[in-house]
Amino acid sequence: MELQWLRAFLAIAEQGSVSEGAELLHLTQPAMSKRLAALEQQLGSPLFDRIGRRLQLTDAGRALLPRARHILNEVSDTERELRALSNSVSGSLRIATSHHVGLHHLPPVLKEFSFRYPQVALDIDFVDSEQAYEALMAAKYELAVVTLALKEYPHLNAEVIWPDPCVVVAAPDHPLAKLPELELTDLANYPAILPDMNTYTGRLIKREFDAQGLKLTAKLATNYLETIKMMACVGLGWSVLPHTLVDSSLAVLPVKKLQVLRNLGVISHRGRTLSNPASALQQMLFEAAI
């Protein structure tokens, strides 16, 4: 069994089609189909069913998928360990970041990283923080720079880079903005615009309301903080945003006994040897935290 066959299989499984898998690996579609056919012939079983325009894994394909990932990750880790014997910072580096971190905190670090290490091809995916954790567990990325989880993951390292205190806000003409002091019960009387309750930020806020037995009414939910800011600015509801996003278009509400502190940072897998580019970026992030 050749590694190129497994890479072709994995790309098709992740992309859902031969053509998109071929594009991912920079191959022609016939070459991709040939590699898949060779693998299926060696295994003696079809790996995909064609349903409509997409491919679906067969039972054999589903059984092979985690094993193929493991084999290719082992090969990749071996290559990284051997390359790490040299001090060259070059090659490719794939990382994940959330939209807020990627837009408001990461750019200066990435600019300096690209200046110091021009031989590194940086591949950045913008994903939700929760998805980044799952993808890192599956070895899809070397590093992720995101909102840190509320719990510890035994197989992941998490380091705080930027504390990110949040404040309660509303449009300046919102009824809540006219009150000199507020309790959570005041907020409970009005709809909120918040990140999804499955996000780490959403859970932080809901935890405070649950502690006082209050119902949190989220009128609209989106995970894009810039979108939340816009909707709060036009008076669609109160919200909780990082202090760094607040400007004159919003009023900060003086809510007693509500503290929402997120931590933004970098996560990596404890069982994975970081490449030289990943180690260099991680070190620059640590320097940014000083």
Side-chain angles (χ1 to χ4, degrees), residues 130-197:
E130 297 74 23
Q131 294 174 338
Y133 267 83
E134 295 302 319
L136 207 69
M137 289 289 292
K140 188 175 181 181
Y141 306 104
E142 286 198 70
L143 298 174
V145 190
V146 293
T147 301
L148 299 185
L150 305 182
K151 65 176 184 179
E152 290 188 5
Y153 283 71
H155 299 297
L156 299 180
N157 290 315
E159 297 287 345
V160 178
I161 304 299
W162 302 285
D164 197 34
C166 298
V167 291
V168 185
V169 296
D173 58 353
H174 191 283
L176 289 172
K178 301 174 183 178
L179 301 176
E181 193 172 69
L182 295 93
E183 302 278 355
L184 280 188
T185 51
D186 298 310
L187 296 182
N189 293 326
Y190 292 89
I193 303 166
L194 298 169
D196 187 271
M197 290 299 110

Side-chain angles (χ1 to χ4, degrees), residues 136 142-144 155-158 266-271 274 282:
L136 207 69
E142 286 198 70
L143 298 174
H155 299 297
L156 299 180
N157 290 315
V266 59
I267 54 175
S268 60
H269 200 291
R270 290 178 180 172
L274 291 182
Q282 187 179 62

Side-chain angles (χ1 to χ4, degrees), residues 102-124:
L103 292 175
H104 297 281
H105 295 273
L106 201 51
V109 177
L110 294 181
K111 182 178 180 180
E112 178 64 20
F113 180 82
S114 297
F115 176 77
R116 289 191 198 177
Y117 310 109
Q119 300 302 315
V120 176
L122 198 57
D123 186 4
I124 306 172

Side-chain angles (χ1 to χ4, degrees), residues 226-271:
E226 289 74 13
T227 304
I228 291 176
K229 177 183 176 181
M230 180 276 293
M231 291 191 289
C233 286
V234 299
L236 297 182
W238 61 269
S239 188
V240 177
L241 290 172
H243 193 274
T244 52
L245 284 185
V246 178
D247 54 30
S248 59
S249 65
L250 290 168
V252 176
L253 305 182
V255 183
K256 294 171 59 179
K257 299 180 181 179
L258 178 60
Q259 292 184 344
V260 179
L261 175 61
R262 314 183 318 162
N263 285 316
L264 313 179
V266 59
I267 54 175
S268 60
H269 200 291
R270 290 178 180 172

Side-chain angles (χ1 to χ4, degrees), residues 1-42:
M1 186 182 300
E2 296 189 20
L3 292 176
Q4 62 180 1
W5 298 352
L6 289 178
R7 291 192 178 98
F9 164 73
L10 192 58
I12 295 170
E14 290 180 346
Q15 299 301 311
S17 76
V18 174
S19 59
E20 292 180 22
E23 184 178 350
L24 183 67
L25 296 185
H26 306 292
L27 295 172
T28 64
Q29 187 168 338
M32 199 71 166
S33 297
K34 185 176 180 180
R35 293 183 182 186
L36 176 61
L39 180 60
E40 289 180 325
Q41 182 177 3
Q42 179 165 1

